[in-house]
Amino acid sequence: MAKAGNRIIFSLECKVCKRRNYSTTKNKRTNPEKVKLKKYCAFCRRHTEHKETK
């Protein structure tokens, strides 16, 4: 059975409308900085930058 370790679950928030649309995981040890991704926002109806939040 796999152990939890350094992997955390976090949300991605749209920078335009400030809604949390996605949740994903990352390894805190290998990626300590905050994640920024271009994702589709269903509320804005376009691709926008999404930033990591708790």
Side-chain angles (χ1 to χ4, degrees), residues 8-14 18-22 24 34-35 50-54:
I8 61 163
I9 300 172
F10 64 93
S11 298
L12 290 172
E13 179 183 72
C14 177
K18 306 293 187 205
R19 294 193 188 199
R20 294 178 182 179
N21 302 326
Y22 297 96
T24 187
K34 290 198 177 223
V35 175
H50 284 67
K51 185 178 174 184
E52 174 185 342
T53 59
K54 293 291 177 185

Side-chain angles (χ1 to χ4, degrees), residues 27-43:
N27 188 330
K28 207 56 165 159
R29 183 174 290 170
T30 58
N31 298 344
E33 63 278 347
K34 290 198 177 223
V35 175
K36 290 181 184 175
L37 298 171
K38 281 218 146 190
K39 303 283 280 180
Y40 179 76
C41 179
F43 302 102

